[in-house]
Amino acid sequence: MSGSGIAAAEQLSKSDTLGLRKKHLGPSCSLFFEKDPLKIVRAEGQYMYDEDGRQYLDCINNVCHVGHCNKRVVEAACQQLSTLNTNSRFLYDNLSLYARKLCSLFPDPLSVVFFTNSGSEATDLALRLARAHTDSFITITLEHAYHGHVTSAMEVSPYKCPEGKMTLPPYVHVAPCPDSYRGKHRDADHGPEELGRLYAKEVKDICEKVTKGGDRVGAFIAESMQSCGGQIIFPPDYLRRTYECVREAGGVCIADEVQIGFGRVGTHWWAFETQGVVPDIVTLGKPIGNGHPLSAVVTTPEIAKSFHSTGIEFFSTFGGNPVSCAIGMAVIKEVEDRDLKTHAKEVGDYLVSSLRSLMPRFPMIGDVRGIGLFVGIDLVRDRELRTPATEEARRLLFRLRQEGVILSLDGPYDNVLKFKPPMTFSKANVDRIVLLLQRLIPEIKEDATAGFQKKPEACNALTADKPVSRNARICVAPLIQPPGDLLCGMRRAQGCQSRMKSGYIASCY
Amino acid sequence: MSGSGIAAAEQLSKSDTLGLRKKHLGPSCSLFFEKDPLKIVRAEGQYMYDEDGRQYLDCINNVCHVGHCNKRVVEAACQQLSTLNTNSRFLYDNLSLYARKLCSLFPDPLSVVFFTNSGSEATDLALRLARAHTDSFITITLEHAYHGHVTSAMEVSPYKCPEGKMTLPPYVHVAPCPDSYRGKHRDADHGPEELGRLYAKEVKDICEKVTKGGDRVGAFIAESMQSCGGQIIFPPDYLRRTYECVREAGGVCIADEVQIGFGRVGTHWWAFETQGVVPDIVTLGKPIGNGHPLSAVVTTPEIAKSFHSTGIEFFSTFGGNPVSCAIGMAVIKEVEDRDLKTHAKEVGDYLVSSLRSLMPRFPMIGDVRGIGLFVGIDLVRDRELRTPATEEARRLLFRLRQEGVILSLDGPYDNVLKFKPPMTFSKANVDRIVLLLQRLIPEIKEDATAGFQKKPEACNALTADKPVSRNARICVAPLIQPPGDLLCGMRRAQGCQSRMKSGYIASCY
């Protein structure tokens, strides 16, 4: 193949890879950098390599938790794949040993596990457990939350349901995201403790409304730090106060640790521990299998019993199979033996302090927030007004990629640079990023402002080939142009238009 | 470890494996042979081995399609695991190549694929596609159908929702299972063609009711041969006629090939082809990855486009990752290169004819039905009345296990012995089973009748430790005892009782 100019690891030229994908993969499946996607042929640790052998520093693959192609994980998988891979209706040691090990990482009374194959399946099962236990479908979720792509998970995922696309069912209530920087209550007006109280009060109000209507709350579901909302770290005591209200109203509390679990926060195995709470149900996914399709739901014996008493068996063909369990065990052992939790704390602290040290020189960095290796940079055009620098963020992202660093954007305005790298991420990696940002932010700022004023071209460029909900939000963020102009080039702008009309966006600045 | 009496491959004694499992795994997850489960330590081809090195012939793991621990599949997995495992937001060859290969196995216009991680996720996505395309939630499913464990899949799975446990939502309509032997219309009264017409007419009636009410049908979902219903082979032209009615009423047709796809039927890659139809959406699972958590939804460009136009991105973290695609490709190549499709036809035909040859001598064999390596033996107490021999089937199952053969039971009365072995199953394996059945059936018949008349002990034994829905059905099948006696020992018998009262069971004899 090398004679044809295609690198050894490649089987197709990049354009053929893309062409075949476009022909046969559902168009709803999008690519990073849609117009010029990255082709990756191999990866190792926190590095990925494209078809030309170019190295990229991976700052976003929290799924490859203990490093891409981690040797211990690969060996555990291969050994088990060649020995036995069957289902949990048979007895085998791996399931029992892994269930014990996983449960040992949780505080009492969380000691019972169910194995599934994706975060989405874990959410679905968590909701089923909660609903069986409380006999209530009523669920409270957070603004901007994302809990998975199956129907039941979408129903509690406002991130996927902007107005005009899909309405949430009447039994789902949405509480404001406890975002101290850009949410309903802000750090400019309130101290941290007060913010925790104010945001918890929002959930309490929903609970009261439900109970006054004669109903019982079924569940409160939230990531313990919100990823899709823009790397949101909750104010102190938020979850403690919220869990109290929910439980008083008869509900159970589901902590979604799919993005952030397994030691990423550095100080603990689970992000909920940073808030001093013990949930009733915890969902686990992504990092749990270092890329292998594995997920789990951990709960209390009492809730598991309620679920059992419905008389409906739970069986997942692949869930907790011997290979999945071998891989899951290898991931935990790797975190333990290499003390990656402590490493995440040290490197994460260094990342946050290094990024914050840039703030005096770069007003575009509106906020740096994070715990452990879960960090966000909120980019703004005006630090006082906190105007999201969406277009600048997009350009910065692309320039970083050109320089060999992969990051992603999130948050309601797609202006938050997300760091959730493999746990092997190093201080040297941090130094490289900090140096790069110092060089790139000034050039981005100029380009972006110039580009943006040439609208509507900039708007078209943002939205033309990817008319999904999140792009609608990109587009409405800069309220400079009237909606008519802003929306040109968008094939489906209902969500966008309705947000415009409702003034929803305007009120967030 | 060998010094402690535990076999080399074991890490725990069997009782410890079971003890830990009971402590930490949700009690809703059941085991085969609950009271004395099988511990399996390794497997190869169509054989599994317990902790004492005892060999079992595996007649039920259709998941390990090309054989347990198939070398080509293991090698493909290991090679890819150590090279790259990331997500589909990056470009890589495996996804494009596998998508093309998979689509090449389908008739036009089925040429677009979405990758997911389980049959349940595939069902959920199939329903979302159908609902997006037709703008209707109304779904027709079959009696006894099972399509997965997530909430949306449960809603179209009457198998999991017997009366009293969970009611199906109002937008789900249940059509009679086209079971010519035990269904509403039977081969005793009608010829094969007429049965196809009669059962299709049942779906037509539902469609007409829906359209007369001013609604549109969204989807018809059915396995192309029904597994949980008791290995049901549809009468000729059933799907062709049914698909016609559904499409006339505005709906799309979903073929669930999760259990039966990938050449199991011998003559074709897909069971729907045996009915001469082309579905609009096909769900794939179990065998697709030989045990690896992989599934897929294949559809038409038109339906994929409708889904895309909702503006909601579809992303599955693990779905279609490089390892899943490498494994999926290896499975297809193994079926092709070893011509396992032809093998399935030859061995399957031999299995069916060998089993049928026993019928003159063993009246307990009420029916032998199957295509390729998807075969069922319907055991009866009375061949004319077709009274299900549920208790005898249970005893036979246990005796077969004692003799080193693993089968399972299914169907509404748990009286159908199911064959869906790895595709490497041989004629010699068939001979062994036939010999065994000749020996075991006579002894079972005596034991079972004796045991059964000592009720209610027999009933307690059946239901005491596993009060799930399917056992309720086991228990009500023999209508000899009055309900009060029959139900003793059952902790949750609502479903059972309501079926009794409604006369539902009685009408099926």
Side-chain angles (χ1 to χ4, degrees):
Chain A
M1 295 285 256
S2 57
S4 67
I6 298 174
E10 271 195 303
Q11 300 171 75
L12 297 170
S13 70
K14 184 170 176 179
S15 64
D16 284 350
T17 311
L18 187 58
L20 270 186
R21 177 180 162 121
K22 283 200 171 159
K23 185 168 177 195
H24 293 299
L25 192 73
S28 312
C29 305
S30 65
L31 283 159
F32 284 132
F33 307 105
E34 194 82 44
K35 291 197 162 176
D36 180 20
L38 270 171
K39 178 166 180 180
I40 300 295
V41 298
R42 69 179 185 92
E44 199 181 337
Q46 62 271 41
Y47 304 101
M48 304 179 91
Y49 299 86
D50 72 11
E51 75 281 10
D52 296 320
R54 182 141 195 250
Q55 188 195 68
Y56 293 88
L57 173 61
D58 177 2
C59 304
I60 56 170
N61 270 300
N62 58 334
V63 175
C64 296
H65 192 58
V66 293
H68 286 277
C69 302
N70 177 283
K71 217 174 154 187
R72 183 185 211 148
V73 173
V74 173
E75 274 169 14
C78 294
Q79 201 273 327
Q80 190 59 51
L81 274 164
S82 55
T83 310
L84 175 70
N85 197 18
T86 186
N87 69 63
S88 64
R89 279 184 176 140
F90 295 95
L91 267 186
Y92 41 84
D93 289 338
N94 281 8
L95 187 143
S96 299
L97 291 167
Y98 181 49
R100 175 175 68 183
K101 182 71 188 174
L102 191 58
C103 290
S104 77
L105 307 178
F106 286 88
D108 278 338
L110 294 163
S111 61
V112 178
V113 63
F114 294 85
F115 293 113
T116 42
N117 309 291
S118 68
S120 299
E121 283 195 350
T123 296
D124 182 84
L125 181 57
L127 292 170
R128 288 181 60 203
L129 288 167
R131 289 163 182 174
H133 187 68
T134 61
D135 207 17
S136 166
F137 253 67
I138 295 172
T139 310
I140 302 170
T141 187
L142 295 182
E143 205 183 3
H144 313 314
Y146 176 65
H147 297 290
H149 61 76
V150 297
T151 306
S152 57
M154 297 268 288
E155 287 181 355
V156 295
S157 297
Y159 181 75
K160 282 278 187 181
C161 308
E163 292 153 62
K165 286 198 198 304
M166 174 176 160
T167 36
L168 299 178
Y171 49 80
V172 173
H173 300 261
V174 182
C177 174
D179 174 355
S180 308
Y181 185 72
R182 202 176 277 293
K184 183 174 173 183
H185 312 290
R186 300 188 177 187
D187 54 10
D189 309 315
H190 309 282
E193 302 294 332
E194 201 186 343
L195 284 169
R197 262 197 303 275
L198 284 168
Y199 277 114
K201 173 74 165 52
E202 300 279 348
V203 178
K204 194 184 169 80
D205 289 349
I206 294 173
C207 291
E208 281 174 1
K209 211 176 109 190
V210 168
T211 47
K212 269 184 195 153
D215 290 316
R216 190 193 312 163
V217 171
F220 169 77
I221 183 167
E223 290 186 281
S224 310
M225 305 193 308
Q226 203 193 46
S227 185
C228 288
Q231 307 294 83
I232 305 302
I233 313 299
F234 299 162
D237 275 340
Y238 169 70
L239 281 185
R240 196 182 55 71
R241 292 176 197 280
T242 298
Y243 278 19
E244 260 175 39
C245 309
V246 170
R247 284 167 177 158
E248 256 171 44
V252 296
C253 300
I254 304 172
D256 178 337
E257 295 268 340
V258 170
Q259 292 271 6
I260 47 181
F262 289 92
R264 178 161 298 278
V265 295
T267 47
H268 303 83
W269 276 97
W270 315 111
F272 65 73
E273 294 175 289
T274 65
Q275 288 266 320
V277 294
V278 179
D280 304 295
I281 301 172
V282 183
T283 57
L284 307 173
K286 299 192 193 287
I288 192 173
N290 217 48
H292 182 80
L294 169 61
S295 65
V297 180
V298 178
T299 189
T300 67
E302 197 189 347
I303 291 175
K305 198 174 158 192
S306 297
F307 187 58
H308 185 46
S309 73
T310 61
I312 298 174
E313 184 200 15
F314 179 77
F315 176 65
S316 159
T317 298
F318 308 126
N321 73 33
V323 173
S324 295
C325 290
I327 289 174
M329 185 68 104
V331 169
I332 294 176
K333 285 191 172 163
E334 194 71 350
V335 173
E336 284 181 339
D337 292 354
R338 294 173 63 183
D339 201 7
L340 291 175
K341 219 152 49 93
T342 308
H343 179 79
K345 168 147 180 52
E346 285 171 9
V347 179
D349 285 353
Y350 184 64
L351 176 61
V352 169
S353 64
S354 302
L355 294 173
R356 283 190 181 148
S357 74
L358 298 178
M359 291 181 73
R361 269 184 297 159
F362 301 105
M364 195 192 280
I365 303 179
D367 190 29
V368 174
R369 50 188 178 249
I371 299 182
L373 284 173
F374 180 83
V375 173
I377 309 178
D378 197 315
L379 296 174
V380 296
R381 301 199 144 175
D382 180 308
R383 210 179 257 178
E384 202 178 332
L385 296 175
R386 301 183 179 181
T387 321
T390 301
E391 169 64 8
E392 291 85 340
R394 198 184 63 86
R395 285 169 186 263
L396 183 56
L397 191 75
F398 191 73
R399 285 290 291 118
L400 282 162
R401 172 214 156 140
Q402 288 178 319
E403 300 288 339
V405 173
I406 306 175
L407 276 152
S408 68
L409 294 178
D410 222 324
Y413 309 106
D414 272 319
N415 69 314
V416 179
L417 274 176
K418 277 173 93 164
F419 289 84
K420 47 182 180 97
M423 298 274 278
T424 50
F425 202 73
S426 71
K427 286 189 179 176
N429 296 147
V430 172
D431 290 338
R432 179 174 164 198
I433 286 165
V434 169
L435 273 174
L436 258 180
L437 289 176
Q438 290 180 44
R439 179 152 64 84
L440 300 183
I441 290 179
E443 70 180 68
I444 288 306
K445 192 165 161 49
E446 273 174 33
D447 281 9
T449 314
F452 203 78
Q453 283 167 353
K454 278 191 289 173
K455 301 206 51 354
E457 290 83 356
C459 178
N460 279 335
L462 272 173
T463 59
D465 67 340
K466 207 179 142 204
V468 302
S469 58
R470 295 173 54 234
N471 282 312
R473 283 178 289 182
I474 291 179
C475 199
V476 291
L479 279 180
I480 302 166
Q481 303 279 335
D485 285 359
L486 261 175
L487 298 175
C488 55
M490 295 187 70
R491 272 167 286 169
R492 281 185 71 86
Q494 296 93 322
C496 189
Q497 278 168 325
S498 69
R499 276 166 170 251
M500 281 290 193
K501 280 177 201 149
S502 71
Y504 177 90
I505 296 298
S507 72
C508 290
Y509 280 81
Chain B
M1 293 289 254
S2 58
S4 67
I6 298 174
E10 270 196 303
Q11 301 172 74
L12 297 169
S13 71
K14 183 170 175 180
S15 64
D16 285 350
T17 311
L18 188 58
L20 270 186
R21 177 180 162 121
K22 283 200 170 158
K23 187 168 175 195
H24 292 299
L25 193 72
S28 312
C29 306
S30 64
L31 283 158
F32 284 132
F33 307 105
E34 192 82 43
K35 290 196 163 178
D36 180 20
L38 272 171
K39 179 166 178 180
I40 300 295
V41 298
R42 68 180 185 91
E44 199 180 338
Q46 62 270 41
Y47 303 101
M48 304 179 90
Y49 299 85
D50 73 9
E51 73 282 11
D52 296 321
R54 184 141 193 252
Q55 188 195 69
Y56 293 88
L57 174 60
D58 177 2
C59 304
I60 56 171
N61 271 299
N62 58 334
V63 175
C64 295
H65 192 59
V66 293
H68 286 277
C69 302
N70 176 284
K71 217 174 153 186
R72 182 184 212 150
V73 173
V74 173
E75 274 169 15
C78 294
Q79 200 271 329
Q80 190 59 50
L81 274 164
S82 56
T83 309
L84 174 70
N85 198 16
T86 187
N87 68 63
S88 65
R89 280 183 175 142
F90 295 95
L91 267 186
Y92 41 83
D93 290 339
N94 282 6
L95 186 144
S96 299
L97 291 167
Y98 181 49
R100 175 175 67 182
K101 182 73 186 172
L102 191 58
C103 291
S104 77
L105 307 178
F106 286 88
D108 279 337
L110 295 163
S111 61
V112 178
V113 62
F114 293 85
F115 293 113
T116 44
N117 309 289
S118 69
S120 299
E121 284 195 350
T123 297
D124 182 85
L125 181 57
L127 292 170
R128 287 181 61 201
L129 289 167
R131 288 162 183 176
H133 187 69
T134 61
D135 206 18
S136 166
F137 252 66
I138 295 172
T139 310
I140 302 171
T141 187
L142 295 183
E143 207 182 0
H144 314 313
Y146 176 65
H147 298 290
H149 61 75
V150 298
T151 305
S152 56
M154 299 268 287
E155 287 180 355
V156 296
S157 297
Y159 181 74
K160 282 278 185 181
C161 308
E163 292 153 61
K165 286 198 197 304
M166 174 176 161
T167 36
L168 298 178
Y171 49 80
V172 173
H173 300 261
V174 182
C177 174
D179 173 355
S180 309
Y181 185 71
R182 203 176 275 292
K184 183 172 174 183
H185 312 289
R186 300 188 177 188
D187 53 10
D189 309 314
H190 310 281
E193 304 293 332
E194 200 186 344
L195 284 168
R197 264 196 302 275
L198 284 167
Y199 278 114
K201 172 74 166 52
E202 300 280 347
V203 178
K204 193 184 170 82
D205 289 349
I206 294 173
C207 291
E208 279 174 0
K209 211 177 108 190
V210 169
T211 46
K212 269 183 194 154
D215 290 317
R216 190 193 313 164
V217 171
F220 168 76
I221 182 168
E223 290 186 279
S224 311
M225 304 195 308
Q226 204 192 44
S227 185
C228 287
Q231 307 292 85
I232 305 303
I233 313 299
F234 299 162
D237 274 341
Y238 169 69
L239 281 186
R240 194 182 57 71
R241 291 177 198 281
T242 298
Y243 279 18
E244 260 175 39
C245 308
V246 170
R247 285 168 177 159
E248 254 171 43
V252 296
C253 300
I254 304 172
D256 179 338
E257 296 268 340
V258 170
Q259 292 271 6
I260 47 180
F262 289 92
R264 178 160 298 278
V265 295
T267 47
H268 303 83
W269 276 97
W270 316 110
F272 65 73
E273 293 174 288
T274 66
Q275 287 266 321
V277 294
V278 179
D280 304 296
I281 301 172
V282 183
T283 58
L284 307 173
K286 299 192 193 290
I288 191 173
N290 217 47
H292 181 80
L294 169 60
S295 65
V297 180
V298 179
T299 189
T300 67
E302 196 189 346
I303 291 176
K305 196 174 160 193
S306 296
F307 187 58
H308 184 47
S309 75
T310 62
I312 298 174
E313 184 201 15
F314 179 77
F315 176 66
S316 158
T317 298
F318 307 126
N321 73 34
V323 173
S324 296
C325 291
I327 289 174
M329 184 68 103
V331 170
I332 293 176
K333 285 191 173 164
E334 194 72 350
V335 174
E336 284 182 339
D337 293 354
R338 295 173 63 185
D339 201 6
L340 291 175
K341 221 151 46 94
T342 308
H343 179 80
K345 169 149 182 51
E346 284 171 11
V347 180
D349 285 352
Y350 184 64
L351 176 61
V352 169
S353 65
S354 303
L355 293 173
R356 283 191 181 147
S357 74
L358 299 178
M359 291 181 74
R361 270 184 297 158
F362 301 104
M364 195 192 280
I365 302 180
D367 191 30
V368 174
R369 49 186 178 251
I371 299 182
L373 283 172
F374 180 84
V375 174
I377 309 179
D378 198 313
L379 296 174
V380 296
R381 301 199 144 176
D382 180 308
R383 210 179 258 178
E384 202 178 332
L385 296 175
R386 302 185 179 181
T387 322
T390 302
E391 170 62 7
E392 292 85 339
R394 198 185 64 86
R395 286 171 185 264
L396 183 57
L397 190 75
F398 190 74
R399 284 292 289 118
L400 282 163
R401 173 214 156 140
Q402 286 178 321
E403 300 287 340
V405 173
I406 305 176
L407 275 153
S408 68
L409 294 178
D410 222 324
Y413 310 105
D414 273 319
N415 70 314
V416 180
L417 275 175
K418 276 173 94 164
F419 291 84
K420 46 183 180 96
M423 298 272 280
T424 50
F425 203 73
S426 70
K427 286 189 178 176
N429 296 147
V430 173
D431 290 339
R432 180 174 163 198
I433 286 165
V434 169
L435 274 173
L436 257 179
L437 288 176
Q438 291 180 44
R439 179 152 64 83
L440 298 183
I441 290 178
E443 71 179 67
I444 288 306
K445 192 165 161 48
E446 274 174 33
D447 282 9
T449 314
F452 203 79
Q453 281 165 355
K454 280 190 288 174
K455 296 199 69 339
E457 291 81 357
C459 178
N460 279 336
L462 271 174
T463 60
D465 68 340
K466 208 180 143 205
V468 301
S469 58
R470 295 174 52 236
N471 282 313
R473 282 177 291 181
I474 292 180
C475 200
V476 291
L479 278 180
I480 302 166
Q481 303 280 333
D485 286 359
L486 262 176
L487 298 176
C488 56
M490 294 188 71
R491 274 167 283 170
R492 281 183 71 87
Q494 296 93 322
C496 191
Q497 279 168 325
S498 70
R499 277 165 171 249
M500 282 289 194
K501 281 178 201 149
S502 71
Y504 177 90
I505 296 297
S507 72
C508 289
Y509 280 82

